[in-house]
Amino acid sequence: MAVWLPQWTIDRRFRQSQRGSKHNAAREMQQPLLVVADQHQRQVVTACCARSRRVGVRAGMAVVQARALFAPDEAGSVCLEPHEPECDRVALHKLAVWAHRFSPVVAIDTPTEEGREPDGLLLDMTGSEAVFDGEERMLRVVAERFGRLRVHAHIAVAPTIGSAWAMARFGSAPSSAVRPGNQRDAIAPLPIAALRLPAETTIGLSDIGIETISQLMDLPRAALPARFGEDVLLQLDRALGHAMETIDPIRPLPLPMAERVFDGPTDRIESIEHAVQGVLDELAGVLRERQVGAREVALVLHRSDLEPEYLEITMARPSCDAQHLWRLLRPKLEHAHLGFGVEGVLVRADAVERILHEQSSHWRDTSQQQWGSDRETIALIDTMRNRMGSESVRHAVLRESHLPERAFAMQRELASSPVALTPNDRPTMLFDHPIPIEVIALTPDGPVHRVRWDSRDHVVTSCASPERLSNEWWQHTAGSTRDYYAVRIESGRWLWLARAIETNKWFIHGVWA
Amino acid sequence: MPDIEFPKLRPHPAKADLNGSLDRPIQEGQTPYVELDVTSNFTFLTGASHPEELVERAAVLGHTASAIADTNSLAGVVRAHVSAKQMGVRFVVGCRIVLDSELAVLVYPTSKSAYARLCRLLTLGKRRAPKGECHLAVHDLVERSAGLLAIVQPPEIIGDGFLEFLEGLRGAFDDDRLSLAASAMYRGHDQHRLAQLESLAAHSGVPMVATNRALYHTPQRRALQDVLTCIRHGCTIEQAGLRLESHAERHLKAGDDMARLFARYPEAVRRTVDIAERALAFDLDQLRYEYPAAECPPGMSAAAHLEQEAWAGAQRRYSGGVPDRTAEALRYELALIAELKYEAYFLTCYDIVRFARSRGILCQGRGGAANSAVCYCLGITEVDPARFSLLFERFISRERGDPPDIDIDFEHERREEVLQYIYEKYGRERAAMTAEVISYRGRSAVREVGKAMGLPADCVDALAKNLDRWGDKPTGDRIAEIGLNPRDPTIRHVLELTNQLVGFPRHLSQHVGGMVITQGPLCDLVPIENAAMEDRTVIEWDKDDIDAMGMLKVDCLGLGMLTCIRKAFEMLKGVGVAGPDGGTLTIADVMTHEQDDDDVYAMISRADTVGVFQIESRAQMSMLPRLKPRCFYDLVIEVAIVRPGPIQGGMVHPYLRRREGVEPVAYPRPEVKRVLERTLGVPLFQEQAMQLAIVAAGFTPDQADGLRRSMAAWKRKGNAIYRYGQQLIDGMLANGYEEDFANQCFEQIKGFSEYGFPESHAASFAILVYVSCWLKHHHPAAFAAALINSQPMGFYQPAQIVRDAQDHGVEIRPIDVNHSHHNCILEGNGNTIRLGMRMVKGLAVADAEAIARAVASRGLFATVESLWRESGIGTRALRCLARADAFGSMGLDRQRALWQIKPLRDASMPLFETVDGTDQEETAAGLDRLPSIAPATRVLQDYSAVGLSLKAHPVSFVREDLAQRGAITARDLRNETQCPAKRSVSVAGLVLCRQRPGTASGVTFITLEDETGIANLIIWKDTFERYRRVGRLARLMLAHGTVERQGIVVHVHVHRLESIDSMLSGVAVTSRDFH
């Protein structure tokens, strides 16, 4: 069976938007969607939704041209999304896994042409018709299931891969079946492109007027290879069943999980803990085998006569360390409600990421070390986050800005920050909010003589010339130009004072501690 | 018709008529100060103010003088110089030399020779670097340091290397001419820095000078400067970080402010004035441009030589004796030329034209000076002054000292030969192309600003697409219309900054044809750099700068029609049509011996003008039947009248009415009659407006010239034309004209605005119109073949040219490997065209020529294989030819030829490989069993490979279906009895072109072609919007509407559009990229 997904990338995006991620689910109905990529310094449509197609948009069109086809009131709402072949492929892989419900042997249909993305599935249905109570019903069920997923699919069942492929893509009906021995008649009227030939060959054939497979079959076989290469006869024979062809099936990868079922319900925390440690070890083994680490792990306690209890932990970095996971889960388990007893435990890694192999070196080169990459720190962060909430730990990274309050950012992810350029000397301690102070200076922009801060007068013994910082005008926040002065007071302490130019008010914004 | 030039968004100060007034009062009593370190926007993507703005600001701040020092460039100095003169400020020419070591030295010439050295230095650095860069080492500067004042800019971190550098320069410049720049930049350690520099100054003996490193004239330009930085770095404003300045301090500051910042170093402030005073010893006005002395016979002055040549030419031109009027004009012009010392300029043009003639390159001059009696006699132009009264003063103005202007058109394919001749004759040191300053326009500006401000690509796209349409003020509604929020602060920033950026120079490009030639080395006057094009060098100044500096240039332009005419003349010679002297025909021959041919004018009046020069566009063709040109001067009018200027000035309809006799032609005074008689009382040309001002309002010729200049700029700087307008009206009233007439004249003159067409250009163009029409009428085959051989040019595709030729009884033979050359050729008696292989898409010239050579030496080929072996061309080329169906003489159609070519392999040794017997059988069998292809498909394949088909028109295959749907043919549409005005009709055809001219307020014009001819559609904006998809995409269109007639001009005013692409694809599966 061949399944062709004529607008996979669009369907995938709509499915995602329905799941209500960042996208607005209602958008699907209201806004036309174009998937675009940069080609030769211009934006080109690589796929478009049915609505855009109705106004005449086609893949390969320049975005500018495509936009012009919409009515002016509609043109503004056209939604452009970037071409993400990688995401399409990953999602297609998931779909292929899902399709295992129809057949144990499922393959992703990889196109022969370079640069084209896979947009179909191949299913070996040998013996499956019986399960579905006949071929006709099987077609109907499969079509209906794809329909429920809201994925457009053209489906064909045929004795050979080639003929099924051809019928799915070029047959007149969205689903069709070819009886054994019938493939020749079925594919004869189809265009040459149905033979999965390189584009060059197809064009070469059409140049001499060969448009359909039947016209090709009329030509003397021996004259073909010299003119169009060996592929022509091979693909023809494959479609007709004269040559063998196999598919390269994918295997579904279930979520890494481990489970233990008790003989009967137990509320003995020790045995439950023991069981959880056991399944975590098992899970860690699965993860290591796949060379991945878990970012999210769920522990499910199957309770008798009650709905299962879920305990979830998240990790700052992917982990396959059972001990670490256990340390994070344990406090949660202590507070879990066991009900009338637990019948079994299950752990499942809900989100996994590849673990990058880090070479363990004898001498640790601290300069190369990203902050937070060592195990102890990670363990600490994970513990704090899982106990106090995910917002409890944040990571400060440098940003390039002249303004001191914008020269850093707090973020949740433990990202390594690129070494940002630092502007002039900045105080070692910066106040969250500048504190208004009183200052005596002889001239408005001259050196500072006295400062009143912390309810005390300080005589300034040294004052540098001002550093003028203007507001970042593109931030649209009201703010003024400030002159910053590094001043030293009698005690020897250096303060960082600022004068707002427009208001002539003084502040202290930091100190060198 | 050439594209309408987008108005330059910022006029050159020399043309802006600023009246030397400042908007703000000058701040007096300030500490004397000159800002010497000023970067204008001619340091591209760095400076954020125009030179004029900087000069004006310096004047307002009461600076002792203004200065500009752009990085490795003098491109902005002429503008600054001119506006400084207008505002009465003194101006210091400077330049920031950035050396390879990235250290910067500001230099200011103190004399003409020092300026020349600076230009040479820059030329040296630029000529050895790729375009846009300048590579200079310290020793380059040191060697040319005489007479230059220098200010060294210390780097952020001053190290030993800098000390060495400073001491090295001190050796060359000594402490008198060298200074050390010091700036208080509010960086938080300014006083430390100044103290450090002071001790460095004391230690090295190089005195300190205060600068503020200005990047803009007022602090309000900070945001724009930040955005320019982002554009330069290709980042967004969010990413730019510390690459931006931390404040808005890098503007021009008043002397008192500088004195306060340098309170401890008053000497450093004073030194700016000292440096400026010394640099002011040099002034750009001291540059004496000298035109190269012409080569004259020994012992003869240039004036005498010109006079001799002119009179000799006059004798040749007028075999029956020189007419009195021409003789008088000659004497007058020669005297004026001698007085203004322009002889050499005319002799140079004469020399260039003679060179072109000697190489058989057709050329023709135009422009006011070109249409002088002198130029006619020298053979630079063919416009006989005896038949025109043109104002010679317009282009040679006695008082203003403006240079004469001669544009020479050459065959577009051979103009490069002429340019290289000029380079060779005068050398790279003395001749170079003029620069063209490419400025930001709305669209390009909003793109860059939007990107820098981090707008998503599609928003930027939408803004860019709509900005030009909106004009200068994008309102909130319009922004909302394209789906953006007009109150969004980012959008507002983008629009505001775009507005500021528009008119900023973006880069220097080369002018289309302006050549500057000098007597002495050109690089003493202006730096010369490499152009993007190989073998070209360009100066840093554009044509306005050159005008302002009084430098002469010759415009050498390329014109496709000249190529076409020359090729037609040559083909005619091949079939025995020659000039009276037995040689190849010339334009002069046609103009002297074949002028006023009634049949030619009859053809023009029928608008039967596909392919001819200028009057071939749809707008021109709809005018011709109304104007019915009967003589040469009618052509001059026709060329000039279908222009936005006359159309917007409302002159077209009065003229037509008068010509048709509907409206009486009346003149208030006899002297007005003399001016306007030839255009029936309606001023159609700029020259007439000027003459009118002279005879009716008592203007001097120079005032009239001022009026002309203000006409060209009134939309941008409205006041000047009103000043002249008042003077015009007053003058006319004083001379006893009625007020209505005076007002009406002024309104019409205003109408010329940007796009008025001078009579002198129209006259030269009209010659080519006549010659091309004469060719088309008498030698349609040669004309069509030459036209195709000169492609790309003109308005029509080869398909239309071929079809038009067929309509005129020319036999067209298909491309054939055994008969075609690369170019189209005439066969038989000269009324048959054999299409050339140049029309085959994808075929290289060399392959086409190789085939023609092989056929010439071996005779006709009988098989594909023998051709392949003998000619040595590749199978790819053969396939192109087969797709073009060019194997007809071998009895092979497209399909069968391809079948034969397929097994051939380029890589193998063709001479030794034999095709084995079995394959031959298979091949033969295959030939018979190839499927048959529908005729419509064959036609479409022709279109796809050649761009036309001689078999049939694609529409003819669906004619029956179309007839059922009520569509009539284009021929029936033209028939007035069948299709009277206002009748509803349906027409169908291939879409030839879609146009939406800017002057037509959203109306779209579509031209359809069917098997009987073409049909013109007019589609109003709302209809087009309703059928947008069809209108934009359909290749085969069915249009329903009503007939509109005006004389023999027929349009269909469309109500409904349908795409009938599917009709053809039903016939043929492949319509791969046909068209």
Side-chain angles (χ1 to χ4, degrees), chain B residues 555-804:
Chain B
D555 274 340
C556 300
L557 305 163
L559 193 61
M561 186 47 74
L562 283 168
T563 314
C564 169
I565 290 174
R566 198 251 310 155
K567 287 181 175 174
F569 284 163
E570 277 174 9
M571 266 185 239
L572 286 177
K573 177 127 197 295
V575 294
V577 181
D581 56 353
T584 314
L585 271 172
T586 62
I587 291 178
D589 293 338
V590 177
M591 289 313 292
T592 352
H593 306 292
E594 306 285 346
Q595 63 179 348
D596 299 332
D597 184 332
D598 289 339
D599 294 345
V600 172
Y601 286 108
M603 177 189 86
I604 296 173
S605 298
R606 287 195 304 271
D608 181 6
T609 55
V610 168
V612 305
F613 189 57
Q614 284 281 315
I615 55 169
E616 59 172 345
S617 73
R618 191 168 148 179
Q620 292 275 7
M621 277 181 162
S622 54
M623 188 66 73
L624 289 171
R626 304 184 62 191
L627 203 70
K628 295 198 182 58
R630 282 183 292 267
C631 63
F632 178 70
Y633 193 75
D634 290 344
L635 293 181
V636 180
I637 289 175
E638 174 71 32
V639 166
I641 202 169
V642 188
R643 301 271 158 193
I647 291 172
Q648 281 165 6
M651 285 96 131
V652 177
H653 291 287
Y655 179 80
L656 284 176
R657 279 199 301 274
R658 288 175 183 208
R659 196 175 162 92
E660 284 161 3
V662 185
E663 189 179 295
V665 184
Y667 307 96
R669 292 283 190 86
E671 65 264 21
V672 173
K673 184 174 177 189
R674 230 178 31 242
V675 176
L676 296 181
E677 193 175 17
R678 59 188 189 275
T679 55
L680 307 179
V682 182
L684 290 178
F685 302 110
Q686 283 180 357
E687 288 90 339
Q688 290 178 309
M690 291 162 64
Q691 264 178 321
L692 203 62
I694 294 169
V695 303
F699 276 42
T700 64
D702 285 309
Q703 284 171 330
D705 194 67
L707 174 66
R708 177 184 68 86
R709 283 172 184 278
S710 67
M711 280 193 289
W714 79 277
K715 280 206 168 155
R716 301 182 302 244
K717 293 265 174 189
N719 33 22
I721 195 169
Y722 288 105
R723 207 171 65 233
Y724 281 114
Q726 200 52 50
Q727 192 186 345
L728 183 85
I729 293 170
D730 291 347
M732 288 173 86
L733 292 180
N735 287 339
Y737 288 91
E738 285 187 16
E739 195 170 350
D740 280 356
F741 179 74
N743 283 331
Q744 183 198 335
C745 283
F746 178 55
E747 283 308 310
Q748 283 171 335
I749 286 169
K750 236 169 49 180
F752 283 114
S753 65
E754 304 283 345
Y755 315 114
F757 208 62
E759 187 177 19
S760 51
H761 287 263
S764 285
F765 275 173
I767 290 196
L768 300 184
V769 172
Y770 182 79
V771 173
S772 57
C773 289
W774 180 85
L775 278 170
K776 182 180 163 69
H777 182 73
H778 292 285
H779 307 284
F783 180 68
L787 203 52
I788 295 171
N789 290 345
S790 309
Q791 293 291 320
M793 63 162 280
F795 205 71
Y796 295 95
Q797 296 293 312
Q800 282 91 56
I801 299 168
V802 160
R803 181 193 181 108
D804 184 69

Side-chain angles (χ1 to χ4, degrees), chain A residues 57-80:
Chain A
V57 181
R58 294 288 178 272
M61 237 179 213
V63 171
V64 183
Q65 196 193 357
R67 266 178 180 283
L69 293 170
F70 290 96
D73 53 325
E74 212 177 14
S77 68
V78 174
C79 179
L80 300 186

Side-chain angles (χ1 to χ4, degrees), chain A residues 54-55 67-71 80 207-208 218 220 226-227 400 402 424 445 465 468 470-471 473 475, chain B residues 186-188 190-191 222 226 238 242 244 246 249 260 458 490 883 895 899 905 922 929 1028-1029:
Chain A
R54 272 197 299 279
V55 299
R67 266 178 180 283
L69 293 170
F70 290 96
L80 300 186
D207 271 341
I208 57 160
D218 279 349
R227 291 177 165 79
E400 264 190 45
H402 291 288
N424 279 330
D445 56 352
S465 42
R468 182 161 291 183
S470 290
N471 211 36
W473 51 270
Q475 293 292 334
Chain B
Y186 285 94
R187 292 260 170 91
D190 291 349
Q191 292 308 328
R222 173 193 175 215
D226 284 347
E238 279 291 340
L242 303 182
L244 305 179
S246 63
E249 292 303 312
R260 204 162 36 74
D458 52 319
T490 306
R883 289 207 182 92
Q895 223 182 332
W899 179 259
R905 292 284 172 273
E922 296 287 352
R929 277 150 71 178
R1028 196 178 314 108
R1029 177 180 171 184

Side-chain angles (χ1 to χ4, degrees), chain A residues 445-462:
Chain A
D445 56 352
V448 179
H449 289 274
R450 295 181 83 88
V451 181
R452 184 167 177 79
W453 176 52
D454 244 3
S455 333
R456 271 203 323 232
D457 270 342
H458 302 276
V459 175
V460 171
T461 58
S462 175

Side-chain angles (χ1 to χ4, degrees), chain B residues 873-892:
Chain B
I873 67 165
T875 52
R876 210 194 71 85
L878 284 179
R879 276 200 300 277
C880 289
L881 286 162
R883 289 207 182 92
D885 208 1
F887 290 90
S889 56
M890 297 180 188
L892 295 169

Side-chain angles (χ1 to χ4, degrees), chain A residues 258-300:
Chain A
E259 188 170 14
R260 190 149 305 168
V261 181
F262 302 137
D263 290 341
T266 172
D267 56 0
R268 279 190 56 212
I269 191 75
E270 297 80 15
S271 26
I272 297 172
E273 281 185 355
H274 185 74
V276 170
Q277 278 173 299
V279 288
L280 279 176
D281 275 341
E282 218 175 289
L283 179 73
V286 176
L287 291 171
R288 265 196 295 276
E289 204 171 284
R290 293 200 201 163
Q291 303 190 352
V292 292
R295 286 291 305 266
E296 289 173 26
V297 168
L299 166 64
V300 187

Side-chain angles (χ1 to χ4, degrees), chain A residues 226, chain B residues 847 868-869 871-879 901-911 913:
Chain B
D847 286 338
W868 174 59
R869 294 190 176 194
S871 68
I873 67 165
T875 52
R876 210 194 71 85
L878 284 179
R879 276 200 300 277
I901 294 164
K902 271 287 177 191
L904 305 179
R905 292 284 172 273
D906 284 335
S908 59
M909 298 286 287
L911 283 176
E913 194 201 38

Side-chain angles (χ1 to χ4, degrees), chain B residues 543-565:
Chain B
K543 71 179 205 310
D544 292 337
D545 292 333
I546 287 172
D547 275 0
M549 295 301 295
M551 291 165 73
L552 294 186
K553 72 173 198 310
V554 185
D555 274 340
C556 300
L557 305 163
L559 193 61
M561 186 47 74
L562 283 168
T563 314
C564 169
I565 290 174

